[in-house]
Amino acid sequence: YLVGSFRVVPLAKRPLRRGETLNLFYEIYGGRAPYKITYRIEGKEDDGRFTPLGRPVALPEAQGAQGWSLPTNDRWPLGDYRVRVEVEDAAGASASTMVPFAIAPREPS
């Protein structure tokens, strides 16, 4: 569907290929703006645990509709990942979710 000038297309449970960009779009309903949003990437270890990767990205003054992207490249290990999204409103109420994704090899050209 279209959001302003952006075309939003679900990933449809296929993995991202190395070099593709992970794009998230969502809307926040309820609560009081502005919202503090934190994104954290986590990678799945061989034992099944997820480990935080890098520093979280924080947006301290966000509004209701959100878009966020994360480019990948050939250095990303293949496997399962997730993005932890945490939202806190101006009154201190909070909510969080996990967005799973996987990285697969590039398709042969």
Side-chain angles (χ1 to χ4, degrees):
Y1 60 94
L2 296 176
V3 178
S5 62
F6 295 98
R7 183 173 180 213
V8 179
V9 179
L11 193 57
K13 298 191 180 191
R14 76 163 180 83
L16 286 176
R17 303 287 178 190
R18 280 182 169 160
E20 291 182 331
T21 299
L22 172 68
N23 294 297
L24 297 179
F25 174 79
Y26 60 96
E27 294 181 89
I28 301 169
Y29 295 97
R32 283 196 356 222
Y35 304 97
K36 177 184 176 190
I37 301 174
T38 305
Y39 300 98
R40 178 177 284 284
I41 304 298
E42 299 176 350
K44 189 173 187 180
E45 300 291 341
D46 291 339
D47 65 4
R49 291 177 304 115
F50 278 86
T51 302
L53 305 174
R55 292 185 173 162
V57 174
L59 305 174
E61 298 288 323
Q63 297 301 315
Q66 291 297 308
W68 186 74
S69 64
L70 177 70
T72 68
N73 60 41
D74 289 333
R75 294 184 305 184
W76 278 67
L78 304 179
D80 294 321
Y81 295 85
R82 65 187 183 191
V83 179
R84 179 186 300 267
V85 182
E86 298 173 346
V87 178
E88 182 178 331
D89 78 354
S94 63
S96 65
T97 192
M98 304 283 191
V99 180
F101 67 101
I103 300 289
R106 288 182 186 262
E107 291 184 338
S109 27

